[in-house]
């Protein structure tokens, strides 16, 4: 969670910045880009029915250190048709059976999985899961793919909405990823060995062979510079701005064995998660519920304003003054609601009911997850 002190500090940093362009900046031009990855198999033999989504689960009874690479959750290799995507954490949970091994589950199942497998804090888990579900899931069947678009989530929602899964560019996944290439280069979700070697090189240079907060800050900034220099469609703002910094601190908070106290990730464990989608042997989760601790320190190593390349040119970065950032977290909430409204302009019946419920689930976690109290918005009314 971003602290009040951090908000004040970044406000000062931004106010003295010389970057203050006054131009119209398009809002997430890649947001509705649809993915072509599709599994032709059906999740069930008898079709899909509408689901009345249950409320997300609360915190588990036990929230301490625990062995999670256990006999009840053995790793298994991928089968034909299993979905995997840009999030190594969810890929690992699926490969160990914390959610369905085919990579398709309900958001409430995913919240339970990240709490059990990684000891992710309850409100934070709800926020990131329902954010992904509202933008990329099937809100009628209450199913979400951790990879690409698949018929396993049920029939397509009405256009222009999609149920494209985590692979949809510009929402949960985005540019300047640590071990995944930008979507403009063709594959935004598969493990990229070249980028992982950069991860290793930076860990050697700044972390004595380990990935830590210093490495995270340096690598995050370098990946931003890489994308500015090579991706004419580079965009890093609103939701992606938050998830980009979140993915930088994620390996420190969730991939370091909970018995370690130095918050350093070794390269064998990193490869196990990022490439093999597998818990290291005898892996124990975090000893306490965790969210995005350390994100402020990573940001402050190289403060970066949201924006992107404009006019389809590389090295043409411009700040977007309308984007959410760490000083304007409620703009993030407004952007999410506006995006959902764009995807579902005139919902009726079950779809409308489920939209209202899922937006309510998201809002219930908002203040804890982003560190701010925002006014709730009711685009579709109330139940």
């Amino acid at each position: 969670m971003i602290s009040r002190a951090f908000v004040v500090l970044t406000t000062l940093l931004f106010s003295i910045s010389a970057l203050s362009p006054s131009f119209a900046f398009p809002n997430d031009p890649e947001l509705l880009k649809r993915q072509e990855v599709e599994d032709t198999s059906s999740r069930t033999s008898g079709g899909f029915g509408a689901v009345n989504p249950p409320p997300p689960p609360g915190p588990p009874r036990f929230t301490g250190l625990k062995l999670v690479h256990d006999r009840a959750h053995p790793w298994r290799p991928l089968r034909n048709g299993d979905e995997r995507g840009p999030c190594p954490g969810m890929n690992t949970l699926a490969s160990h059976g914390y959610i369905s091994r085919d990579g398709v589950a309900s958001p409430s199942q995913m919240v339970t999985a990240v709490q059990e497998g990684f000891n992710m804090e309850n409100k934070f888990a709800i926020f990131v899961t329902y954010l992904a579900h509202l933008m990329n899931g099937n809100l009628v069947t209450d199913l979400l793919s951790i990879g690409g678009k698949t018929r396993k989530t049920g029939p397509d929602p009405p256009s222009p909405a999609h149920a494209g899964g985590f692979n949809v560019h510009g929402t949960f996944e985005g540019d300047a990823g640590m071990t995944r290439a930008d979507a403009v280069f063709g594959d935004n979700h598969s493990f990229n060995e070249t980028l992982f070697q950069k991860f290793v090189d930076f860990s050697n240079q700044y972390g004595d062979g380990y990935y830590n907060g210093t490495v995270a800050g340096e690598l995050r900034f370098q990946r931003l510079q890489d994308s500015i220099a090579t991706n004419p469609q580079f965009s890093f703002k609103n939701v992606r701005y938050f998830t980009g910094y979140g993915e930088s601190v994620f390996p420190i908070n969730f991939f370091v064995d909970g018995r370690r106290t130095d918050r350093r990730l070794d390269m064998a464990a990193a490869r196990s998660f990022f490439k093999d989608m597998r818990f290291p042997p005898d892996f124990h989760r975090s000893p306490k519920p965790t969210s995005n601790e350390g994100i402020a320190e990573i940001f402050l190593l190289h403060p970066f304003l949201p924006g992107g390349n404009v006019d389809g040119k590389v090295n043409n970065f411009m700040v977007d003054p309308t984007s959410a950032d760490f000083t304007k977290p409620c703009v993030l909430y407004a952007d999410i609601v506006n995006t959902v409204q764009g995807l579902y302009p005139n919902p009726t019946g079950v779809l409308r009911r489920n939209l209202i419920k899922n937006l309510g689930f998201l809002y219930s976690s908002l203040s804890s997850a982003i560190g701010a109290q925002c006014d709730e918005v009711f685009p579709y009314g109330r139940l």
Side-chain angles (χ1 to χ4, degrees), residues 15-148:
S15 67
I16 63 176
S17 172
L19 296 171
S20 56
S22 56
F23 57 88
F25 199 103
N27 188 31
D28 285 339
E30 290 292 306
L31 187 61
L32 300 182
K33 182 176 180 180
R34 299 188 57 157
Q35 307 300 303
E36 299 300 326
V37 178
E38 181 169 358
D39 184 342
T40 58
S41 63
S42 174
R43 186 167 177 79
T44 68
S45 59
F48 295 81
V51 172
N52 188 357
R61 288 185 178 181
F62 178 68
T63 58
L65 182 73
K66 185 171 73 172
L67 174 69
V68 291
H69 191 174
D70 56 14
R71 291 184 178 181
H73 300 93
W75 180 85
R76 292 179 184 167
L78 295 182
R79 305 160 301 184
N80 184 39
D82 286 349
E83 293 294 334
R84 298 295 185 268
C87 179
M90 290 307 304
N91 292 344
T92 298
L93 292 175
S95 293
H96 282 272
Y98 278 92
I99 62 169
S100 173
R101 293 180 186 270
D102 68 1
V104 175
S106 72
S108 59
Q109 291 169 339
M110 291 186 181
V111 171
T112 296
V114 293
Q115 290 185 138
E116 288 298 319
F118 290 122
N119 211 359
M120 186 177 288
E121 192 275 328
N122 176 250
K123 294 298 184 183
F124 185 71
I126 292 170
F127 178 75
V128 296
T129 302
Y130 282 85
L131 164 63
H133 187 51
L134 279 161
M135 292 184 170
N136 302 323
N138 190 316
L139 299 180
V140 173
T141 62
D142 200 39
L143 293 171
L144 172 63
S145 167
I146 67 171

Side-chain angles (χ1 to χ4, degrees), residues 1-2 213 216-217 245 248-249 252-253 263 290-300:
M1 184 173 68
I2 304 299
Y245 280 100
S248 294
V249 76
I252 301 170
N253 290 335
R263 291 175 58 81
T290 304
S291 58
N292 58 0
E293 288 85 345
I295 199 170
E297 290 78 7
I298 289 174
F299 172 84
L300 288 173

